[in-house]
Amino acid sequence: MSIFDHVQNRYQRAQQEEMSLQEYLELCRQEPGAYASAAERMLMSIGEPEVIDTSRDSRLSRIFSNKLIRRYPAFEEFYGMEEAIEQIVSYFRHAAQGLEERKQILYLLGPVGGGKSSLAERLKALMEKVPFYAIKDSPVYESPLGLFGPEDAELLQKEYGIPKRYLRSLMSPWAAKRLKEYGGDLTRFRVVKLMPSRLNQVAIAKTEPGDDNNQDISALVGKIDIRKLEMFSQDDPDAYSYSGGLCRANQGLLEFVEMFKAPIKVLHPLLTATQEGNYNPTEGMGAIPFDGVVLAHSNESEWQQFRNNRNNEAFLDRVYIVKVPYTLRVTEEMKIYEKLLEHSSLSKAPCAPDTLRMLAQFSVLSRLKEPENSNVYSKMRVYDGENLKDTDPRAKSIQEYRDAAGVDEGMEGLSTRFAFKILSRVFNFDTHEVAANPVHLLYVLEQRIEQEQLPKETHERYLRFIKEYLAPRYVDFIGKEIQTAYLESYSEYGQNIFDRYVTYADFWIQDQEFREPETGELFNRQSLNEELEKIEKPAGISNPKDFRHEVVNFVLRARAQNNGRNPSWQSYEKLKGVIEHKMFANTEELLPVISFNAKASNSDRKKHEDFVARMVERGYTEKQVRLLSEWYLRVRKSQ
């Protein structure tokens, strides 16, 4: 199918299907979706969730305490927002059941750049997926069921199976005038099947705040069309312009951007629209029906200001708040950057390993509240689902950190938007190569923090994150990358250390002497302990006894499934890190190979070329290999 056929088909699918009122009621008997409310149609669009048992995943089990969580494919690109999305879906579920949420304004509260607008856009896109039925030519897209009154409910339920709760809206002034013209003959009304549309403002509308001088309630309820006053009187429904947000969004979704920046008098029609299902126009006509969802969002400062005004209590009671904080998990923050890069021309640009992780760590650190008796870097790692039992005994559980931080954690800090602007500058930092690496990132971050003119305390805290946490850990990371690429027999060397460590630990646990088969050397328990400590101490293992038992138990289980052979030294993450520390303790022998100076011999030149090739395989460009190697050597020399 060509692109032109594709667009043509989409256009034809959106065209109106027309039927009589009798045919519509027959359809209602067979298909309950024909009279579904906006909330019910939204639930149809969202679809069934994927239920995940977090106890089966070690990382997720630590984050979600082994609970069952629901993830919705419709929101799969909203990383780290499980709680906010579940609350939004709960709102629609309860509203669809006819509970109090049906009369509430769905209000997304969160910091700038936290994803409120993206969620609103996704909800509007979902609303477009399921069609609805309206009276033909109705300027407010009213439901055909609005033509019937409460006294008809019993009969409609008996004949067509339509529950009484669906007959709650008034007839619009426009429909009342038509009915009068038809002499009370309802069969002259026609019904159309419509697709909600953001483009044409069919059952989906957007309202933005003005100020006291240039905005009145007509932005919501419409106003008189002065061009029609020649033909109709001022209070005639046909003289009215149904252009307000509530008019256009009936049976759908009205988005009110930055709602609490609008003058309070502008918000009053929302109260009656949500609570009573109708609102008054600006002229002396009857009330106009509204049976849709009002979605609002704004930042916390506007919400606090609005909430602290006692005059707004009636409004506060009609708001269903969903907090949309920044994500506090590094892995999910990285996925957001990857998604943003995919939608830009930088998607193919080289990005050195650890660049996105470092930026995500800095962003998350800025959002976390400093814990007592523990450092904030450990807290960040615990929030990301890491187990720090062996590396930081002072680290607390995720629940302890959350309880101490309070409910507002994640509502302050650096936004994803800010981080992505940093990333854009990093990719374009080098005038000759569009690529990103952590060294340029560290430089750009420091520059930007200086330019932001932040409060002194915040400024110092952000610099501390770079100098205490990010830079030292990147030195270790790039050192390991360089040394790994340097060691040609890297895996074999690591496996030898692993096998030896497991053997020594096993004999140490059993309190037996060990004789080295090749040399005949005898190791007693004290000697075995010394040999094990040579491997453990450089890695900072705080409780070696437990660590040795863990490793041996892991290996024994692995041997049982591996025909008695030891597993790969990289299969056990904790011991892998310990062995790498042992392997890379000495860096002097690296210097002749990794430096980009002229080589003294062909052998050194060949080793250097092989080193660069292996670094390129790991995801670096040749220019980045040179930059990062020279930076690493400078840092090591200064230390």
Side-chain angles (χ1 to χ4, degrees):
M1 183 187 292
S2 75
I3 183 65
F4 302 104
D5 294 334
H6 185 71
V7 174
Q8 182 72 30
N9 284 353
R10 190 172 70 232
Y11 177 79
Q12 286 172 350
R13 282 200 308 271
Q15 295 311 292
Q16 299 180 0
E17 287 181 32
E18 193 175 320
M19 65 188 77
S20 68
L21 187 59
Q22 297 96 315
E23 289 170 329
Y24 170 73
L25 291 174
E26 286 295 334
L27 180 65
C28 290
R29 193 206 309 268
Q30 300 159 19
E31 180 53 65
Y35 53 81
S37 66
E40 288 174 292
R41 299 199 316 274
M42 181 64 83
L43 280 181
M44 292 179 209
S45 291
I46 292 171
E48 289 301 310
E50 175 192 2
V51 179
I52 297 170
D53 183 357
T54 60
S55 65
R56 301 188 176 193
D57 183 296
S58 57
R59 176 177 176 260
L60 294 179
S61 71
R62 287 189 283 270
I63 295 171
F64 296 105
S65 307
N66 293 328
K67 294 174 187 166
L68 291 175
I69 60 168
R70 287 184 281 213
R71 282 192 176 154
Y72 296 86
F75 298 100
E76 64 183 353
E77 291 181 7
F78 290 84
Y79 303 109
M81 283 193 183
E82 292 88 357
E83 197 172 325
I85 288 165
E86 187 55 51
Q87 282 184 273
I88 290 169
V89 176
S90 293
Y91 166 86
F92 285 110
R93 190 181 297 118
H94 298 164
Q97 292 166 348
L99 305 178
E100 183 58 30
E101 282 79 355
R102 178 176 62 83
K103 301 178 180 180
Q104 301 258 303
I105 294 167
L106 175 59
Y107 175 60
L108 306 181
L109 170 65
V112 293
K116 302 184 300 296
S117 300
S118 299
L119 275 172
E121 286 301 315
R122 177 55 54 89
L123 289 171
K124 288 192 290 185
L126 288 168
M127 184 57 82
E128 287 183 312
K129 288 189 174 183
V130 179
F132 70 103
Y133 293 85
I135 300 170
K136 186 183 179 186
D137 297 328
S138 169
V140 291
Y141 310 114
E142 64 189 294
S143 166
L145 298 182
L147 296 170
F148 303 97
E151 59 274 18
D152 306 317
E154 194 78 43
L155 204 55
L156 276 174
Q157 186 168 21
K158 187 177 176 184
E159 284 192 36
Y160 299 103
I162 300 169
K164 293 179 185 178
R165 67 187 181 90
Y166 287 94
L167 268 73
R168 58 175 177 259
S169 60
L170 295 173
M171 192 184 301
S172 72
W174 176 88
K177 181 180 178 181
R178 298 287 90 79
L179 186 61
K180 192 175 180 181
E181 289 174 356
Y182 299 156
D185 183 5
L186 284 179
T187 60
R188 294 186 61 185
F189 282 99
R190 302 287 289 172
V191 176
V192 287
K193 180 181 180 181
L194 298 171
M195 291 300 293
S197 167
R198 285 175 284 180
L199 178 65
N200 301 316
Q201 285 205 313
V202 176
I204 299 175
K206 186 175 187 175
T207 303
E208 295 174 344
D211 57 42
D212 290 328
N213 299 321
N214 69 3
Q215 185 172 35
D216 56 28
I217 62 169
S218 63
L220 285 175
V221 304
K223 57 188 173 183
I224 200 73
D225 185 346
I226 56 174
R227 292 170 298 179
K228 294 183 179 177
L229 290 178
E230 286 184 18
M231 298 172 282
F232 305 103
S233 64
Q234 193 163 335
D235 61 352
D236 192 302
D238 287 332
Y240 199 72
S241 171
Y242 299 87
S243 57
L246 288 169
C247 308
R248 308 300 301 173
N250 187 29
Q251 293 211 73
L253 184 74
L254 170 64
E255 179 192 5
F256 205 132
V257 181
E258 301 291 350
M259 181 169 75
F260 293 128
K261 284 181 179 171
I264 185 64
K265 66 181 181 183
V266 175
L267 304 180
H268 287 153
L270 295 178
L271 293 181
T272 51
T274 52
Q275 290 293 300
E276 298 165 24
N278 60 76
Y279 54 93
N280 290 326
T282 56
E283 307 304 320
M285 302 186 300
I288 302 173
F290 180 77
D291 184 21
V293 175
V294 178
L295 166 68
H297 50 89
S298 72
N299 302 332
E300 199 168 19
S301 56
E302 280 101 43
W303 166 247
Q304 294 294 352
Q305 189 178 343
F306 188 85
R307 190 177 69 172
N308 293 335
N309 186 341
R310 302 285 294 178
N311 296 330
N312 300 330
E313 282 186 353
F315 210 99
L316 296 174
D317 195 43
R318 292 164 169 82
V319 171
Y320 181 97
I321 298 174
V322 175
K323 283 194 172 180
V324 186
Y326 296 128
T327 182
L328 298 177
R329 304 205 298 269
V330 171
T331 304
E332 270 65 32
E333 183 77 4
M334 286 170 63
K335 287 178 182 174
I336 296 171
Y337 302 157
E338 287 164 3
K339 180 181 76 172
L340 293 170
L341 286 171
E342 276 173 24
H343 298 140
S344 74
S345 62
L346 297 176
S347 58
K348 304 294 183 192
C351 184
D354 217 44
T355 309
L356 298 185
R357 177 169 292 280
M358 185 186 287
L359 181 58
Q361 287 178 338
F362 183 75
S363 298
V364 170
L365 285 169
S366 76
R367 300 164 187 170
L368 294 175
K369 293 188 177 177
E370 298 267 353
E372 292 182 14
N373 304 321
S374 174
N375 75 58
V376 71
Y377 192 83
S378 292
K379 179 179 179 177
M380 175 199 74
R381 292 176 65 192
V382 169
Y383 272 23
D384 202 37
E386 290 189 52
N387 182 2
L388 303 189
K389 186 176 74 174
D390 295 316
T391 52
D392 184 0
R394 294 173 63 193
K396 300 173 185 173
S397 70
I398 195 166
Q399 197 56 52
E400 286 178 288
Y401 280 132
R402 281 179 183 155
D403 292 344
V407 295
D408 286 334
E409 190 170 42
M411 301 296 275
E412 294 178 347
L414 296 174
S415 70
T416 304
R417 199 175 291 139
F418 174 90
F420 197 60
K421 285 191 282 188
I422 292 283
L423 201 55
S424 306
R425 290 176 68 174
V426 172
F427 268 100
N428 293 286
F429 187 85
D430 190 320
T431 52
H432 298 101
E433 181 180 64
V434 177
N437 67 75
V439 171
H440 286 162
L441 173 62
L442 289 169
Y443 179 76
V444 170
L445 268 178
E446 281 202 50
Q447 266 194 330
R448 190 59 192 269
I449 290 168
E450 296 295 340
Q451 292 166 2
E452 284 293 300
Q453 296 181 316
L454 298 162
K456 186 180 178 186
E457 187 182 333
T458 307
H459 177 268
E460 288 174 355
R461 190 161 67 95
Y462 288 176
L463 286 180
R464 180 166 62 85
F465 293 155
I466 293 173
K467 288 172 180 170
E468 275 188 36
Y469 303 131
L470 303 186
R473 281 170 175 80
Y474 185 64
V475 172
D476 293 341
F477 175 85
I478 191 61
K480 193 185 295 182
E481 290 279 280
I482 287 169
Q483 291 156 334
T484 301
Y486 164 76
L487 280 171
E488 290 180 76
S489 55
Y490 169 70
S491 292
E492 190 181 335
Y493 184 30
Q495 191 67 42
N496 288 339
I497 297 175
F498 177 86
D499 293 342
R500 194 165 74 248
Y501 181 88
V502 170
T503 303
Y504 288 175
D506 192 12
F507 276 87
W508 180 86
I509 289 167
Q510 295 176 54
D511 198 7
Q512 291 180 4
E513 292 183 336
F514 169 70
R515 186 177 295 280
E516 184 73 57
E518 293 175 8
T519 62
E521 188 178 354
L522 189 68
F523 292 88
N524 61 20
R525 197 166 197 264
Q526 179 63 33
S527 306
L528 288 170
N529 189 60
E530 288 169 6
E531 291 297 319
L532 290 166
E533 284 183 347
K534 286 179 188 175
I535 298 173
E536 293 160 350
K537 279 189 175 176
I541 297 299
S542 55
N543 47 354
K545 183 179 176 183
D546 291 348
F547 183 73
R548 291 168 193 177
H549 276 89
E550 258 185 76
V551 170
V552 171
N553 286 338
F554 169 80
V555 171
L556 290 174
R557 285 196 305 273
R559 278 179 188 163
Q561 299 169 1
N562 199 27
N563 298 324
R565 293 195 304 273
N566 272 352
S568 162
W569 71 277
Q570 294 178 316
S571 61
Y572 194 54
E573 197 63 37
K574 292 178 188 174
L575 187 53
K576 177 188 168 191
V578 171
I579 290 170
E580 284 175 340
H581 268 89
K582 169 72 176 170
M583 289 162 69
F584 302 142
N586 183 20
T587 57
E588 276 64 37
E589 60 192 26
L590 293 172
L591 294 175
V593 172
I594 71 170
S595 73
F596 279 73
N597 300 330
K599 299 292 173 263
S601 67
N602 288 337
S603 170
D604 279 354
R605 188 170 68 251
K606 178 74 170 65
K607 283 182 181 176
H608 175 76
E609 288 168 358
D610 290 346
F611 158 73
V612 172
R614 283 193 287 273
M615 286 291 280
V616 169
E617 281 173 21
R618 298 178 77 83
Y620 300 88
T621 66
E622 287 191 25
K623 195 165 187 182
Q624 286 174 341
V625 176
R626 180 169 193 146
L627 169 78
L628 298 176
S629 298
E630 289 174 350
W631 179 83
Y632 174 69
L633 291 174
R634 274 200 314 275
V635 171
R636 295 294 297 196
K637 194 174 179 181
S638 67
Q639 289 175 347

